[in-house]
Each structure stands twice: as C-alpha cells, then as structure tokens.
Amino acid sequence: MTEALKLPIIDLISPDRISTANSIRQACIDYGFFYLVNHGMEEELLGKVFEESKKFFLLPLEEKMKMPRKEHRGYTPLYAENLDPTSSSKGDPKESFYIGPLEDITTPVNLNQWPSEEILPSWRHMMESFYRKLLSAGKRLLSLIALALNVEEDFFEKVGALDEPNAFLRLLHYPGELGSSDDEIYGSSAHSDYGMVTLLATDGVCREKFKQPRVWEDVLHVDGALIVNIGDIMERWTNCLFRSTLHRVMLSGKERYSAAFFLDPNPDCMVECLESCCSESSPPRFPPIRGGDYLQERLRLTYAS
C-alpha cells in the first residue's frame, strides 16, 4: 500500500535559524525525512556527477571488479548487499561504488579506490569535489539539528562526532528490466540508515517500522532539493525522539542513478542519550556505544553471506 507524502522543505541558509531548527525538529519527530534546499550543490554539478557515475557503471564488469569493496570503499556488484536480513531475497538488484573520507589520519595510506584516469580522466576530481560539498552541507545541517535538540549548535563538534567523521559517498545504479516475476522487486529492500544523517534521493518511506501491514508513502522529486533522513545513531542519541524511518527503492522498469551521502560520527565518538531527550518518565533506551562499533556490526549483518 502506497500513499503520497508531503515533506517539509528546510532552507539551509535561512537567516532565521531558530525557526529553521523548530521546523527540523517537527520534521524529524513526524517523518524522519525532509527536503533540503540551498545546500550548495548546483544543478550543473549534480548533472555532471550523474554523467560521470553513468560512465563508471557502463564499464565492463571485469573493469569494475578491479576495485572490489574493501574497508567499505570500492565497487559492489548486483546482489552483493541485502539491506533487509530478515528477507529471503538473494540480495538487492543494484550495483554501487563507495568513496570514504578523503583525508584519513588513522591510516598511512588512504583506502579509497579510483578508476583509471586513462579510462575516466575527470572522475576522481568530480567525485572529490562532490564529496566535499556534501560534507560541508552535512556539517551545517548538524548545527541546526543540534539547535532542534535544545543543545548548543556546536554540540556535535564538542563530542568529537565531526572530528574526522566517518562519511561515505555512495553512487548507485539500479538496472532496468530484471526478467519477469510475480513478486515486487526492490532496488533497495526495506531498511533504515545506520548513522547520523543521510543526504540522498529515495522512492518510498514507511514511518511505522513495527506496524504490520506496513504502510508505504511515496517521496516525490523536488527540483533542486536533496532528501535528508535521520539514521539509527541519531535515533539512539535522541532516545527515539527523532525517527530513523524505514525506506526502500522501488524498481520502475527503467534504469536509475542516484547518490547517497552517509554522515556518520568519528568511530571513537561515544553515542549516548542526550540529556534533553530523557527524563525520569523517559529514561535512556540504549546503552552508550562507540559510533564505529555500532556501524561495523550493522555492516557485518548487511554483507553477511
């Protein structure tokens, strides 16, 4: 069952930060999703990013498999990932490419993998530029989310979440026809994201994770807007005040390219319930956990064979 959903539109450069923060708070309580405009990504840049992404996914499989996913960087082929471990699916029919932090002080060698410049000469430069712009937008957004949670706007900096954040850009390609089937086929099966916030494009969400049968609501495209959703770590931080909403991607029979930017905290950052989100009547629901430990366990389940 699918219904239409009208999400709030958040202006990242609005001079009225308190009003913007209040709008974010309501959106995160009601939906866990909202549109973000004036985020610094020009339409021209987005168009070029998707052009370069398409060039990569059009490469022969053997060329793409020269960069297999390692340490959450590189290429994953069709069916490599199952975002809903409870399902009997053989995996999600999509291929993707992960780009991790561009400057990694924890390792002597950066772990990112890049296509050959002889094959795709503009690819690395374009994706690095896109990554940096998304990271900048994400950090500015988190200061507004902090205000929305009634803490100081530099809260996430103070607790170390944004000290070398665990941020990943993921390019995605959903194929067209996959053969005849009587079953619904999802490009990405039902899941919630793992980290703090995600900047992405998506096709559908389900606000009530534990309700059966699930009621799915369409998220429509808005020109010039990114879609932001709250992740599981932020839900833990806020004691479930902010929603980490289930979402999925429905295949329409046509090819689709998208990009998602996952902004997760520094792996050593301790995630524990905010004082503004708990009380005697609403005690913390989750024990403190290192951001890196939580993420690694979720990824282990996602890619378990």
Side-chain angles (χ1 to χ4, degrees):
M1 180 177 178
T2 306
E3 298 178 354
L5 181 63
K6 293 183 178 180
L7 294 176
I9 297 177
I10 303 300
D11 185 347
L12 190 56
I13 64 172
S14 169
D16 191 346
R17 291 175 63 80
I18 299 303
S19 177
T20 302
N22 289 337
S23 296
I24 289 174
R25 181 181 178 90
Q26 200 61 51
C28 292
I29 290 172
D30 290 344
Y31 307 106
F33 275 76
F34 53 87
Y35 294 110
L36 187 69
V37 297
N38 291 321
H39 41 64
M41 256 65 63
E42 307 86 356
E43 286 289 328
E44 182 180 2
L45 172 64
L46 289 171
K48 290 180 178 178
V49 164
F50 285 114
E51 284 179 19
E52 293 297 321
S53 177
K54 186 173 183 178
K55 288 178 184 177
F56 172 79
F57 288 115
L58 284 173
L59 292 174
L61 180 60
E62 58 267 27
E63 187 67 35
K64 292 180 286 190
M65 288 303 296
K66 292 178 181 178
M67 296 163 282
R69 184 183 67 89
K70 297 176 183 176
E71 300 295 328
H72 217 48
R73 284 101 165 154
Y75 175 71
T76 60
L78 291 172
Y79 308 111
E81 177 184 87
N82 186 359
L83 288 173
D84 185 0
T86 64
S87 75
S88 58
S89 168
K90 65 178 181 179
D92 294 337
K94 64 176 182 289
E95 53 180 345
S96 66
F97 191 90
Y98 286 95
I99 299 167
L102 303 181
E103 291 84 24
D104 191 346
I105 63 173
T106 62
T107 59
V109 179
N110 192 276
L111 298 172
N112 282 317
Q113 305 182 66
W114 303 102
S116 166
E117 290 188 3
E118 294 181 0
I119 300 174
L120 297 175
S122 303
W123 209 85
R124 177 173 180 174
H125 174 75
M126 179 64 63
M127 297 309 166
E128 286 182 332
S129 175
F130 187 44
Y131 180 104
R132 289 189 174 98
K133 284 180 177 289
L134 285 163
L135 180 59
S136 175
K139 287 180 175 180
R140 285 182 287 152
L141 176 61
L142 283 172
S143 69
L144 288 167
I145 288 176
L147 290 177
L149 290 166
N150 299 319
V151 296
E152 295 179 352
E153 61 182 292
D154 60 352
F155 167 81
F156 292 107
E157 285 94 340
K158 285 184 175 179
V159 297
L162 299 181
D163 178 16
E164 298 293 325
N166 217 16
F168 289 87
L169 170 60
R170 187 181 192 193
L171 306 172
L172 291 147
H173 171 225
Y174 302 94
E177 296 296 334
L178 289 167
S180 59
S181 172
D182 293 331
D183 299 324
E184 285 187 310
I185 299 177
Y186 308 114
S188 290
S189 48
H191 68 286
S192 57
D193 290 344
Y194 311 147
M196 292 192 291
V197 293
T198 304
L199 286 75
L200 80 163
T202 187
D203 283 349
V205 305
C206 174
R207 282 185 274 167
E208 303 298 336
K209 281 191 271 192
F210 305 109
K211 184 177 179 180
Q212 296 294 338
R214 290 171 173 169
V215 177
W216 291 93
E217 300 170 278
D218 284 334
V219 175
L220 303 177
H221 173 76
V222 172
D223 287 342
L226 297 174
I227 297 174
V228 174
N229 71 279
I230 294 299
D232 296 335
I233 282 181
M234 188 65 75
E235 186 175 73
R236 291 177 71 104
W237 241 321
T238 66
N239 211 28
C240 296
L241 175 68
F242 283 10
R243 292 169 175 261
S244 170
T245 301
L246 282 179
H247 52 283
R248 64 187 183 182
V249 175
M250 297 291 294
L251 295 182
S252 63
K254 297 180 180 179
E255 277 190 304
R256 178 167 175 254
Y257 295 87
S258 65
F261 186 73
F262 304 97
L263 182 49
D264 302 339
N266 180 290
D268 291 326
C269 178
M270 289 300 298
V271 177
E272 51 188 321
C273 181
L274 291 167
E275 289 185 9
S276 63
C277 296
C278 62
S279 64
E280 286 188 12
S281 60
S282 181
R285 302 187 188 193
F286 309 101
I289 190 170
R290 286 175 68 254
D293 292 341
Y294 181 81
L295 182 62
Q296 285 301 316
E297 176 60 16
R298 294 297 301 272
L299 291 174
R300 184 189 68 80
L301 293 172
T302 297
Y303 290 99
S305 57

